[in-house]
Amino acid sequence: MRGRLASVGAEEVLLSEGWNLVLTEPDAYAVPHDIPPTSQFIAAPVPGTVAEALERAGLFDRENPEPLNTRDAWYVCRLFDTEPGDWILRLEGLATLCHVFVNGQELLFSESMFTAHEIPVTLAGGDELALCFRALAPKLTEPGPRARWRPQMITPPGLKNVRTTVLGHMPGWCPEIHAIGPWRAISLVRSGPVSIDNVSIRSVLDEDGSGRVSVSLYSAADDPILQLRCGGEEAAFKKIGENHYSAILKLADVKPWWPHTHGTPDLYDLTLVSDDVEYPLGKTGFRTIALDRGADGDGFGLCVNGERVFCRGAVWTTADIVRLPGARADYEPFLRLAAEAGMNMIRVGGTMAYEAPDFFALCDELGLLVWQDFMFANFDYPRNDKTFIGHVHAEVEGFLHGVQASPSLAVLCGGSEVHQQAAMLGLPREFWGGPVTDEVIPAIASRLRPDVPYVPNSPYGGAMPFSPNAGVTHYYGVGAYMRPLDDARRADVRFAAESLAFAHVPQQRTLQRHLDVPSVHNPLWKARVPRDRGASWDFEDIRDHYLGLLYDTDPARLRRENPERYLDLSRAVTGEVLTETFAEWRRTGSRCDGALVWTLQDLLAGPGWGVIDSTGEPKPVWHAMRRAFRPLQVVLTDEGTNGLDVHVVNETSTDLAGELELICFRDGRQQAASGSQSLTIAARSKQKIAATELFGAFFDTTYAFRFGPPSHDVTVARLRSVEGDLLAEAFHFPLGRAKAFHDADVAVTLVDDGGAWALDVSANCLAQSLHIDAAGYRPADDWFHLAPGIQRRIRLTPVGTKAGEPQGEVLCAGSMRRFAFGVGG
């Protein structure tokens, strides 16, 4: 992390080449010259990890990892091409106990993975730079401050005393791949003619709609002439102290930054001008974020630029657990898919690692809010250890300085499940918190990012920290606790920073390439299914519970007798649960202000928590999210004897004029009742309409009164624009989904849609969970329901550069029938 160590106008040499790595027994060698020249060195990438270097050399298998924290790891590099003289050695991240040597002399010992360092060095030419990462395992057995509790999820307990990620230390959650090595960049820096550093930036959106950006910096130059440029305006820097300068620039009628679901994420270039030379300071945006606790004081609603935003998205894990990369190219595929799915918030949880500034720059561009946990999870962290608290100060300040101009940073959180862990173990309220999350971090956050709300922990609030009806919760009522779907309403969720964890099954092509084994019955398959440590069940059991509930079938019997159908219904069911749950949370009258799914991406290929698999391919549930998260949305809720309610949501900045249509089908094809009406929905608003208002008379849409046999098996709501374009669609199954399985005939036609390929798809009756399998292409929608009377055009986007004319088939999961298209289709 660059943070406050960043400088402008300096000469910088990245030390990314010429590194060699050797693993030795713990404490076998004190200095690099002790290492025998006959040792087995291998080439190592920097930035990078020991696991990455070993994997490149064919010496490490991420699917069957061996412990890496039981040995010392030495990185050695000869600086043959670096000019002699005085430099600053910048080390942006060392995981985790690292001695730094230059020409055999130790210059630094780093004890935190999350702290950057700058060391003055004088080079003579041909110098040797060496890093020794000491084995962490012995350190973890050393006694530290006595803890009031021990979490079961993370092992070993000694991790609480070391500032490192717990990734790789959560059995059942992720592969045991340990973070060791120079995981962030190493460079040499020396002052240039401008010599500007410690640049601080603060951007503010004022109440009158103007933008104000303040920049302060230090310059070693004598009486420099400095200007700040932004949005076509310019302001001069003024001297406010020795070598300290500041400028304030105001922009009238600035375009505010919005999450992409609610507006445009407008950004402005910041430029420093010194003696007519321009130095880019990056981009910034202007927005306000406020926390609305609601009338009862127990809510947790984010208001962006004065507008309440329903936050939805997922929890980030890492772009690659082996490499722990921090470059734009690593982040971009996952974050673009998140935005494409309609997510407007990403949470970086306390069990992960801080991501690099490029992560936030992308979220700024894509209009994704970021909920940022600090890296404290579950443990009772030291309270009075001055060295430990010093590491906390350094990492928090370094991180916040690195993202100081980022408008996407929306929530700062002290950590994950610390309060919950204490409360669930029966400890009284006064034991839940601690000085790190309740005092140290918020003091720094309020100083460096006063524009960002802070919450001490996630979950937090209510009678218990995890009570869903107050503050922030981790909601697994629907999910791990196998509650019925209507628990999403009964629980009165206010904001779920985690929710809906399932073992999501990837697309079949992913399994064929990366996990081609029998599902469920094979140990390799089961090894990829996440579980809570010590639990007698895993998250595939949770998925099976809802498969049985929604499809009225015995999952165990189905997977024995028809494994193909079992997998397809498993792919469909988690999307159906997500759709129903978010419909409840987004309906008119709901007090829920947001929910994030656990998690965005898998760490290994297989049935993991991620809605995107580890190869970057969206899983079926991702497509369900894309439909459930639309800014223009229609949802149906079953209100029992009150009938079916239709809710229309318009989160955009413009009024919506359109038409709402409601149709009840008998046997999936014959209209039993229908109605429609024109409507106008104001910007940033919702509207609830009873089904009977559309029909003009009573009709038992929910089959609650049961006057005779059922009159229909599916109800379809369609929201169209005034031009007739389909904006959103929702389905309700009064008798359950299994009773609405029909032997549909699906017509599929491959068409040229303005130079891009697309499929025109229609059906003679309701076809549930249509899956488009087109090698080399990703459909714009997948695993969707299709009712009669409508033709859907699904665009196909090529994945890769060698995609020819599409061919493949459409699977109807409801009937297991397949319909070919393309060559020979």
Side-chain angles (χ1 to χ4, degrees):
M1 294 168 288
R2 285 271 170 111
R4 61 186 306 161
L5 306 177
S7 55
V8 177
E11 179 185 357
E12 183 172 9
V13 179
L14 285 174
L15 302 181
S16 57
E17 304 291 337
W19 288 90
N20 291 291
L21 165 68
V22 64
L23 299 181
T24 71
E25 293 304 310
D27 297 321
Y29 307 112
V31 296
H33 296 164
D34 292 342
I35 303 173
T38 56
S39 299
Q40 297 295 314
F41 281 90
I42 62 171
V46 173
T49 65
V50 170
E52 180 184 7
L54 293 175
E55 186 176 65
R56 289 189 179 191
L59 301 174
F60 185 80
D61 180 3
R62 68 174 66 201
E63 298 181 3
N64 298 283
E66 297 181 358
L68 297 175
N69 61 0
T70 59
R71 307 180 74 188
D72 289 353
W74 289 84
Y75 282 75
V76 181
C77 179
R78 280 283 183 182
L79 309 179
F80 291 112
D81 299 325
T82 304
E83 293 183 9
D86 293 332
W87 293 83
I88 298 294
L89 177 62
R90 177 180 290 157
L91 306 121
E92 299 190 17
L94 304 168
T96 288
L97 304 177
C98 182
H99 302 266
V100 179
F101 302 87
V102 174
N103 297 327
Q105 180 183 358
E106 183 172 350
L107 301 183
L108 171 73
F109 176 58
S110 174
E111 295 181 281
S112 173
M113 174 180 177
F114 306 129
T115 303
H117 303 277
E118 287 190 335
I119 312 169
V121 295
T122 300
L123 302 181
D127 304 83
E128 180 190 72
L129 174 59
L131 314 173
C132 176
F133 296 90
R134 294 296 183 189
L136 185 59
K139 173 74 173 179
L140 300 180
T141 63
E142 296 178 3
R146 184 175 180 180
R148 295 168 295 176
W149 70 82
R150 287 188 177 187
Q152 187 175 21
M153 183 183 78
I154 306 170
T155 60
L159 275 169
K160 76 180 190 302
N161 303 315
V162 181
R163 294 309 301 138
T164 191
T165 179
V166 297
L167 281 171
H169 298 276
M170 296 179 285
W173 280 40
C174 65
E176 296 185 44
I177 298 171
H178 302 138
I180 302 167
W183 72 301
R184 291 292 182 251
I186 298 176
S187 60
L188 287 167
V189 181
R190 63 180 172 187
S191 299
V194 180
S195 186
I196 293 169
D197 56 21
N198 284 348
V199 179
S200 295
I201 302 169
R202 181 169 297 173
S203 302
V204 177
L205 180 64
D206 289 325
E207 291 183 2
D208 62 0
S210 62
R212 180 163 39 91
V213 58
S214 305
V215 177
S216 66
L217 51 82
Y218 286 84
S219 174
D222 294 329
D223 298 321
I225 300 175
L226 303 172
Q227 299 284 329
L228 177 65
R229 288 179 184 168
C230 181
E233 301 293 334
E234 191 169 291
F237 279 83
K238 297 180 180 179
K239 190 171 185 177
I240 59 175
E242 186 177 356
N243 301 121
H244 190 189
Y245 300 84
S246 177
I248 300 176
L249 187 151
K250 193 163 187 176
L251 299 173
D253 299 321
V254 73
K255 293 180 179 179
W257 183 95
W258 287 96
H260 75 102
T261 51
H262 288 66
T264 303
D266 284 295
L267 295 172
Y268 290 78
D269 289 311
L270 283 176
T271 305
L272 173 68
V273 183
S274 176
D275 295 327
D276 295 325
V277 179
E278 296 184 354
Y279 300 92
L281 297 180
K283 296 178 181 290
T284 193
F286 300 91
R287 56 95 183 105
T288 62
I289 294 184
L291 191 57
D292 185 352
R293 295 288 189 182
D296 62 356
D298 286 333
F300 195 89
L302 288 186
C303 294
V304 180
N305 305 327
E307 296 289 345
R308 205 176 186 91
V309 171
F310 181 86
C311 300
R312 64 274 197 174
V315 179
W316 176 269
T317 54
T318 175
D320 187 324
I321 193 172
V322 167
R323 299 189 295 119
L324 298 179
R328 181 186 177 96
D330 300 297
Y331 297 135
E332 190 163 8
F334 293 108
L335 292 177
R336 287 202 177 276
L337 284 173
E340 190 179 335
M343 302 184 201
N344 60 19
M345 177 174 274
I346 298 294
R347 175 179 167 222
V348 182
T351 54
M352 312 305 173
Y354 299 105
E355 298 299 345
D358 277 354
F359 177 92
F360 291 86
L362 269 165
C363 290
D364 293 343
E365 294 173 26
L366 296 170
L368 292 169
L369 299 164
V370 180
W371 174 303
Q372 176 68 56
D373 283 7
F374 291 95
M375 297 301 125
F376 301 90
N378 296 78
F379 284 116
D380 179 23
Y381 288 95
R383 306 168 66 85
N384 302 308
D385 186 322
K386 292 183 179 180
T387 300
F388 184 88
I389 297 299
H391 291 321
V392 174
H393 273 273
E395 78 179 62
V396 173
E397 290 184 358
F399 167 76
L400 289 176
H401 207 88
V403 297
Q404 59 186 321
S406 175
S408 61
L409 186 62
V411 177
L412 291 170
C413 179
S416 174
E417 297 190 350
V418 175
H419 289 219
Q420 171 176 298
Q421 190 77 73
M424 281 193 161
L425 290 172
L427 295 175
R429 184 180 293 269
E430 59 267 24
F431 283 76
W432 296 354
V436 169
T437 59
D438 297 354
E439 300 169 18
V440 176
I441 298 177
I444 301 171
S446 64
R447 174 167 51 88
L448 296 181
R449 285 303 302 257
D451 60 314
V452 180
Y454 179 82
V455 58
N457 221 247
S458 179
Y460 182 81
M464 288 282 108
F466 42 84
S467 299
N469 62 356
V472 177
T473 190
H474 292 178
Y475 175 72
Y476 294 112
V478 175
Y481 307 145
M482 296 188 289
R483 300 285 296 165
L485 296 186
D486 62 10
D487 188 73
R489 180 180 298 195
R490 185 179 296 115
D492 191 18
V493 175
R494 308 301 288 271
F495 193 105
E498 295 178 14
S499 65
L500 301 179
F502 293 97
H504 298 293
V505 180
Q507 303 280 22
Q508 188 61 29
R509 290 185 182 274
T510 298
L511 294 181
Q512 290 171 346
R513 289 193 297 267
H514 300 282
L515 191 61
D516 193 13
V517 298
S519 61
V520 182
H521 305 289
N522 190 286
L524 293 177
W525 175 278
K526 271 305 196 183
R528 304 292 174 85
V529 176
R531 65 166 58 242
D532 283 332
R533 185 167 177 254
S536 61
W537 50 270
D538 61 29
F539 281 83
E540 190 153 60
D541 297 324
I542 302 305
R543 188 191 69 227
D544 280 355
H545 168 79
Y546 289 96
L547 191 153
L549 183 68
L550 269 63
Y551 295 114
D552 192 22
T553 188
D554 178 358
R557 181 173 180 177
L558 181 63
R559 68 176 177 248
R560 287 196 306 269
E561 297 179 354
N562 193 339
E564 182 181 4
R565 182 170 177 77
Y566 167 78
L567 277 183
D568 284 331
L569 290 183
S570 294
R571 294 183 175 101
V573 71
T574 57
E576 293 294 286
V577 172
L578 182 143
T579 299
E580 293 283 337
T581 306
F582 273 91
E584 177 57 48
W585 289 337
R586 295 187 70 189
R587 66 176 173 87
T588 309
S590 169
R591 299 204 299 174
C592 182
D593 283 305
L596 309 178
V597 171
W598 181 271
T599 61
L600 181 66
Q601 70 272 68
D602 282 342
L603 301 174
L604 292 175
W609 280 315
V611 300
I612 304 171
D613 70 37
S614 62
T615 73
E617 180 66 21
K619 293 183 181 179
V621 67
W622 178 90
H623 293 276
M625 295 179 85
R626 194 176 186 210
R627 295 187 291 271
F629 289 177
R630 289 176 288 218
L632 292 172
Q633 180 66 311
V634 60
V635 300
L636 296 171
T637 58
D638 188 330
E639 305 299 331
T641 54
N642 288 314
L644 202 61
D645 278 348
V646 187
H647 307 262
V648 181
V649 180
N650 177 16
E651 294 179 330
T652 70
S653 58
T654 58
D655 294 348
L656 167 66
E659 183 179 28
L660 179 63
E661 179 184 37
L662 196 66
I663 307 174
C664 297
F665 290 100
R666 179 185 298 117
D667 298 326
R669 69 180 73 217
Q670 182 181 351
Q671 289 193 19
S674 65
S676 65
Q677 72 174 48
S678 298
L679 77 171
T680 299
I681 307 296
R684 321 275 197 219
S685 71
K686 303 177 185 179
Q687 184 173 330
K688 180 180 73 173
I689 304 167
T692 51
E693 292 184 31
L694 293 166
F695 296 149
F698 169 74
F699 184 80
D700 192 5
T701 50
T702 59
Y703 194 50
F705 295 93
R706 301 181 185 272
F707 296 150
S711 56
H712 66 297
D713 54 20
V714 64
T715 300
V716 183
R718 291 176 182 144
L719 179 65
R720 298 182 187 273
S721 67
V722 291
E723 294 80 17
D725 296 328
L726 183 66
L727 302 176
E729 198 172 30
F731 294 80
H732 176 256
F733 301 92
L735 311 177
R737 287 159 180 77
K739 294 288 177 45
F741 281 151
H742 300 291
D743 192 20
D745 284 323
V746 179
V748 187
T749 305
L750 182 65
V751 296
D752 185 332
D753 184 17
W757 292 108
L759 295 178
D760 283 342
V761 187
S762 60
N764 68 333
C765 65
L766 176 69
Q768 286 192 56
S769 299
L770 288 179
H771 165 48
I772 298 172
D773 184 5
Y777 287 85
R778 180 179 299 153
D781 200 6
D782 204 6
W783 298 92
F784 57 92
H785 304 321
L786 184 64
I790 187 172
Q791 178 175 279
R792 292 281 308 276
R793 174 161 290 187
I794 311 297
R795 290 177 66 93
L796 302 176
T797 301
V799 179
T801 58
K802 296 183 179 180
E805 179 177 326
Q807 58 179 310
E809 59 185 15
V810 173
L811 163 72
C812 178
S815 64
M816 292 300 290
R817 294 182 64 186
R818 298 175 181 273
F819 305 88
F821 62 86
V823 179

